[in-house]
Amino acid sequence: MILKRPTLWIILLIAAAFALIPAVTGDIALRESLLLGAVYIILASNLNLMIGYTAYVNFGNIAFFGLGGYIGLYVVNTLHWSLWPACLIAGCVVSLLALVLGSGILRLRGAYFALATIGVNEAVKAFVTNFQPFGGASGMYLSFSSFNALGGARHALWLAYFAMIALMALSMILSLVIKRSRFGLGLFAIREDEDAAQVLGVKAPLYKSLTYAASAFIPAMAGTIYFFKNGVILPEQAFDLTLSIEAIVMLMLGGQGTVLGVALGAFAYEQFRGYLLVSSTFSQFQLVVAGILLLLIVLFLPEGFMGWVYRRVPRLRKVIE
Amino acid sequence: MFYDLIASLVNGVLVGAIYGLAAIGLTLIFGVMNVINLMHGATIALGMFALYFLVTAAGLNPYLSIPVVLAGGFVFGVGVYWIAVHRVIGGSDLMTLLATFAVNMIIIGIGTAVWSTSPYNVDVSVPQLTASLHGYTIPGTQLVAAALAVILAGLLYAFLYYTRLGKAIRAVANNRQAAELMGINTQWVLAISFGIGIAVAAAAGLLIATLFPFTILSGANYELKSFVVVVLGGLGDPAGALLGGILLGLIEGVSAPFVDVSWTPVIEFTLFVLILVLFPKGLLRFGRGKR
């Protein structure tokens, strides 16, 4: 039973803390920082389904986020629908697209797949830059009246924040449920040896496509909320390949294939990045420090923080997943 | 209209030769050690800035700075190999991708801090060679750059096929264990190949910088183009990369008069994904999957 897993309760606790602390203190700056942390956790957790569980390196994971943002904002702006159905539509459309696309590119393995995902992100970005209904290169601006439907800008921003926290909790629960299911077991088998897994009856192509589509759903919804909150969406921000790869850094930092480790990695990375950006010595060298950090993890601690913890205290493997 | 197309095609082929040279650096590294080099773009950008400083500060002739950049790139590449790549080679794809990407972040980060992201320009002109074609002029710099790209590719080909070290590199690419058993010091061959790949990419960056203005971030664009080229020509095949580069230049040339320039990347990357899925061994290798 999933309810008996301590990890589930830890996830709910984290989400409650995220939601309550800024709401009680009314600290807007803290809320913004935590919102970004939640976005990073969502991106890293869903990417973890592909990289950590299935060992397929997806560099274009940010395409789901950006495309979701575009579709959601289009629905809100042009069709004048409310944010919530727009969010759901974005999630479903992007997921379906991912399912179709995945059945094609997931026939590739290893480095070839990784290259294809870069191509996908760039193709989508180039397409959106030219697609006039989405505003082309100059992007889309949200009309201010859209906030009124949610009770004014102030209220709308808080609602968007709580929705993002809910999505964050959902991402982590999804990771946990998949990890503890038969389906997840199939994914781990693919990760270890895809050919052997197929011989043993794991329907690898189907499993991979489903995972690819699942890893698109929540990021697409998060994209809608994130860019709704910003009030503007531009191709450069929506399909930022660097953020996509930063998400990989986060999940490596925490420990790929874990649920809470990845979330911790994402949160730590966000805090660290925020610190570098404001510090006078490092603000120029934020990218350099992140690069050195990544290199050190890759070279000396490839299993991440949780891997290090598990080696120290093997019993924690069962408690903190 | 007809001459429009011809001029645009010639232009495409000339630029394509340089794309090809850049892609050779990428494909050589992939072919020999199965690493997709994500610091390729940063290397190209470094080549561009090397030209800028060799010409403005040291007063060197732009084309004579090629050997300097090749040597510098080689040393740099070997150094990066021993620091960042050596430990993770032979591991999972993710690790080598991330290791090279980390180096990319470091270079781009330092470059942005030092040179900012504003554009630089090196004034190069070769008026004696400028050709004209029914009202269209093809600048001499383009002809020279394309010729040098082909010459460098030819030299690399000769090196790989007619020298002992080249033979060792090909042997390691073919089967690392067997090569090791034949007494080849594979670690050094890998380091040297990485160095050559980096040197070639930097030289391609230099040639691009003789034609267009550039920033520290320009390399990323050419890195993506190199991926497309490499996929067109078949991953790990240097001769295919040159042809793939010219093919990509042709595609850009053919599409230029008909569709808006901003649509070119859409065509390129869609083509890229399609070819990767349908012909993973490259378009130029007939018979799918055969090697």
Side-chain angles (χ1 to χ4, degrees):
Chain A
M1 256 315 264
I2 200 81
L3 283 176
K4 283 191 186 150
R5 301 245 159 228
T7 310
L8 179 71
W9 300 102
I10 298 176
I11 292 171
L12 293 177
L13 260 176
I14 296 171
F18 263 72
L20 285 179
I21 293 173
V24 170
T25 58
D27 188 344
I28 303 288
L30 178 68
R31 186 190 72 187
E32 292 302 302
S33 157
L34 288 180
L35 180 96
L36 202 58
V39 171
Y40 282 7
I41 292 178
I42 291 169
L43 290 178
S45 291
N46 286 285
L47 186 57
N48 188 33
L49 299 180
M50 286 302 290
I51 294 183
Y53 290 9
T54 326
Y56 272 73
V57 182
N58 181 4
F59 275 118
N61 149 74
I62 200 71
F64 303 146
F65 182 69
L67 203 57
Y70 262 106
I71 293 172
L73 247 62
Y74 181 78
V75 171
V76 170
N77 234 5
T78 316
L79 307 181
H80 302 294
W81 287 23
S82 162
L83 175 62
W84 315 119
C87 204
L88 212 60
I89 289 173
C92 293
V93 171
V94 174
S95 244
L96 264 176
L97 280 176
L99 193 64
V100 175
L101 186 70
S103 57
I105 62 172
L106 280 161
R107 300 197 308 189
L108 301 167
R109 287 191 189 183
Y112 290 83
F113 175 77
L115 272 184
T117 58
I118 295 182
V120 167
N121 186 52
E122 293 304 312
V124 173
K125 179 180 172 182
F127 177 77
V128 167
T129 311
N130 285 292
F131 190 56
Q132 281 316 316
F134 281 177
S138 49
M140 263 195 299
Y141 290 81
L142 199 65
S143 61
F144 208 70
S145 59
S146 317
F147 284 131
N148 292 338
L150 293 174
R154 229 180 96 83
H155 198 63
L157 291 184
W158 277 106
L159 276 181
Y161 175 69
F162 292 133
M164 196 65 97
I165 301 304
L167 287 181
M168 176 189 88
L170 266 180
S171 304
M172 289 156 77
I173 294 172
L174 179 72
S175 294
L176 180 66
V177 169
I178 289 182
K179 188 169 185 176
R180 288 299 150 208
S181 67
R182 237 185 115 78
F183 180 70
L185 214 55
L187 295 185
F188 287 129
I190 292 172
R191 177 178 79 181
E192 298 308 327
D193 188 334
E194 185 164 344
D195 295 318
Q198 271 185 307
V199 171
L200 293 175
V202 176
K203 293 187 182 66
L206 178 70
Y207 274 40
K208 289 187 295 182
S209 300
L210 283 178
T211 312
Y212 192 64
S215 75
F217 188 65
I218 298 179
M221 295 205 287
T224 303
I225 293 176
Y226 182 74
F227 290 106
F228 176 84
K229 193 215 69 139
N230 281 359
V232 55
I233 185 165
L234 294 163
E236 288 301 324
Q237 306 166 344
F239 303 101
D240 182 6
L241 197 59
T242 316
L243 180 56
S244 210
I245 299 170
E246 278 180 310
I248 302 179
V249 180
M250 297 170 206
L251 72 93
M252 294 284 299
L253 188 66
Q256 50 171 317
T258 66
V259 178
L260 291 173
V262 168
L264 182 70
F267 187 69
Y269 185 84
E270 193 269 331
Q271 292 293 317
F272 178 63
R273 189 171 166 276
Y275 168 73
L276 290 181
L277 279 175
V278 294
S279 95
S280 52
T281 8
F282 288 122
S283 63
Q284 292 266 328
F285 292 95
Q286 173 234 336
L287 209 57
V288 184
V289 179
I292 292 172
L293 181 71
L294 175 60
L295 191 59
L296 290 178
I297 302 172
V298 169
L299 294 180
F300 301 110
L301 200 66
E303 72 277 45
F305 175 72
M306 287 315 276
W308 179 79
V309 170
Y310 290 154
R311 247 186 310 157
R312 291 273 161 128
V313 194
R315 262 190 309 163
L316 276 181
R317 211 176 269 272
K318 286 251 157 63
V319 187
I320 301 173
E321 292 169 78
Chain B
M1 189 63 212
F2 176 69
Y3 289 111
D4 262 359
L5 187 62
I6 296 290
S8 142
L9 279 179
V10 171
N11 198 22
V13 171
L14 292 178
V15 176
I18 306 174
Y19 293 165
L21 182 66
I24 286 177
L26 189 70
T27 210
L28 181 74
I29 291 175
F30 181 85
V32 175
M33 58 190 84
N34 214 11
V35 168
I36 292 181
N37 176 20
L38 288 182
M39 60 177 280
H40 186 65
T43 311
I44 292 175
L46 283 182
M48 293 170 165
F49 277 88
L51 174 76
Y52 180 80
F53 287 108
L54 286 173
V55 170
T56 54
L60 217 62
N61 177 297
Y63 299 112
L64 288 181
S65 49
I66 293 177
V68 181
V69 166
L70 279 175
F74 178 75
V75 173
F76 177 67
V78 171
V80 168
Y81 175 83
W82 285 118
I83 294 169
V85 185
H86 175 62
R87 267 184 81 102
V88 287
I89 211 150
S92 74
D93 291 320
L94 180 63
M95 292 303 162
T96 51
L97 284 168
L98 288 180
T100 52
F101 186 75
V103 178
N104 185 68
M105 276 166 95
I106 297 169
I107 296 173
I108 295 291
I110 295 177
T112 313
V114 178
W115 298 311
S116 80
T117 50
S118 48
Y120 284 70
N121 190 21
V122 182
D123 207 13
V124 184
S125 69
V126 192
Q128 307 89 305
L129 286 171
T130 302
S132 70
L133 186 93
H134 281 263
Y136 294 95
T137 48
I138 297 161
T141 46
Q142 270 202 349
L143 291 171
V144 175
L148 284 173
V150 174
I151 290 170
L152 282 177
L155 285 176
L156 183 67
Y157 190 83
F159 166 74
L160 285 177
Y161 282 85
Y162 298 106
T163 65
R164 234 181 126 72
L165 185 56
K167 203 171 178 180
I169 290 176
R170 286 187 295 129
V172 172
N174 226 316
N175 187 334
R176 196 182 309 161
Q177 273 180 329
E180 184 92 50
L181 291 174
M182 295 301 122
I184 294 173
N185 184 342
T186 53
Q187 286 307 336
W188 268 105
V189 170
L190 291 181
I192 288 167
S193 317
F194 199 83
I196 294 175
I198 294 293
V200 170
L206 184 154
L207 289 178
I208 294 168
T210 63
L211 304 177
F212 311 113
F214 53 91
T215 73
I216 183 74
L217 304 177
S218 304
N221 188 20
Y222 293 101
E223 174 172 325
L224 290 171
K225 279 194 202 298
S226 296
F227 285 148
V228 180
V229 168
V230 157
V231 164
L232 282 172
L235 269 165
D237 177 2
L242 189 62
L243 289 175
I246 292 171
L247 193 59
L248 181 72
L250 271 177
I251 294 170
E252 286 184 358
V254 170
S255 59
F258 301 107
V259 295
D260 200 55
V261 185
S262 59
W263 278 99
T264 333
V266 184
I267 301 171
E268 275 175 21
F269 289 113
T270 311
L271 206 65
F272 169 70
V273 175
L274 281 179
I275 292 172
L276 201 48
V277 172
L278 298 177
F279 306 95
K281 294 283 177 187
L283 205 55
L284 301 171
R285 196 172 281 134
F286 302 104
R288 192 179 149 187
K290 248 179 256 171
R291 195 175 169 118

